[in-house]
Amino acid sequence: MAEGLRERKKRQTRQRISEVAIGLFVERGFDHVTIAEVAAAAEVSVNTLYNYYEAKEDLVLPPDQASPQRLADIVRARQPGESAASAVLAHLRDELQRRDRKVGLTAGFGRVFDMMRAAPTLTARLEDLGRQMTDALGTVLAEETGARSDDQTPRLVASQIGWFHSLVYAEIGRRIVAGEKPDAIAEAVLDLLDLVEGLLSERALTYATRRG
């Protein structure tokens, strides 16, 4: 279905606000820029800005892109014959191969990453987001496998998946700080995922395989 004029204008306004905000945050630091300053620079009212972004942190980590349901959604969408862990591994590999902005492999992301690391509220939000992703995945795995309430397996498998998902982002961040280029980072992290897959147990790799 084609995007209507109203929807296109809203998307463009939302994108402009985010781009202006991140530019200011990178230039001056997240904690030194106010919402009012972002609104003025984006040429919208403060109320309009809040219609698009409920919190200042959303300007950097919008809920539709940094969602607590990310891992759960990946696993829900897996194909017949694919397990939970293999679905997430495949998804991460695809993002790395495409140099997807979701994993920070875009030109200029190094400065954005430095800004995020320097803002305690953003780092705290990222940590909390990781916990929420793992919890949501554990719930999905328990539901899909019909696990008993006292069965810890879904939670433990979700924790392992959450671990290597977080490891990917940590490794990308480490290499960005070291000044490596996106292509080199992607290749190195793809190799890391191969190593991770080789270290995971057979049970973790095959848990919650979708029946065909």
Side-chain angles (χ1 to χ4, degrees):
M1 185 175 180
E3 182 181 40
L5 178 61
R6 179 182 176 85
E7 288 73 23
R8 183 167 69 252
K9 285 185 175 180
K10 289 178 68 174
R11 176 178 55 78
Q12 290 171 343
T13 299
R14 180 182 177 85
Q15 183 176 348
R16 184 177 74 253
I17 293 170
S18 176
E19 289 174 352
V20 167
I22 290 175
L24 289 173
F25 296 154
V26 167
E27 180 184 352
R28 294 165 48 194
F30 181 79
D31 295 328
H32 300 293
V33 178
T34 67
I35 286 290
E37 289 172 324
V38 172
E43 299 181 332
V44 298
S45 70
V46 170
N47 285 341
T48 296
L49 187 150
Y50 277 122
N51 285 336
Y52 289 94
Y53 297 95
E54 294 183 3
K56 185 180 176 183
E57 289 76 17
D58 291 344
L59 290 161
V60 181
L61 299 167
D64 62 325
Q65 296 178 29
S67 169
Q69 292 295 317
R70 171 173 159 82
L71 293 177
D73 287 344
I74 292 170
V75 169
R76 287 191 190 100
R78 71 194 184 282
Q79 299 299 310
E82 193 171 30
S83 71
S86 62
V88 176
L89 285 165
H91 193 92
L92 286 169
R93 286 183 173 120
D94 177 65
E95 289 180 336
L96 288 163
Q97 288 163 352
R98 289 187 290 105
R99 312 299 191 257
D100 196 294
R101 67 185 302 271
K102 290 187 181 69
V103 288
L105 292 179
T106 53
F109 184 74
R111 295 185 67 201
V112 177
F113 182 74
D114 287 340
M115 175 271 293
M116 292 172 65
R117 285 200 309 158
T121 56
L122 290 176
T123 55
R125 178 140 174 190
L126 283 170
E127 291 174 1
D128 188 53
L129 180 63
R131 287 191 292 269
Q132 291 179 55
M133 285 184 186
T134 299
D135 290 345
L137 176 57
T139 298
V140 168
L141 292 178
E143 291 172 350
E144 290 199 5
T145 60
R148 301 188 312 271
S149 59
D150 62 346
D151 185 352
Q152 297 295 312
T153 309
R155 182 178 64 85
L156 293 175
V157 172
S159 295
Q160 289 197 338
I161 294 173
W163 161 72
F164 71 69
H165 181 263
S166 297
L167 178 66
V168 163
Y169 283 87
E171 184 68 7
I172 289 171
R174 185 181 73 81
R175 291 178 178 276
I176 286 173
V177 171
E180 295 184 25
K181 301 298 183 183
D183 287 348
I185 294 173
E187 293 305 317
V189 179
L190 283 167
D191 289 342
L192 180 65
L193 281 177
D194 289 344
L195 179 58
V196 165
E197 186 170 9
L199 291 173
L200 290 174
S201 71
E202 185 68 17
R203 187 176 183 189
L205 282 172
T206 59
Y207 187 77
T209 297
R210 176 157 287 170
R211 296 179 180 177

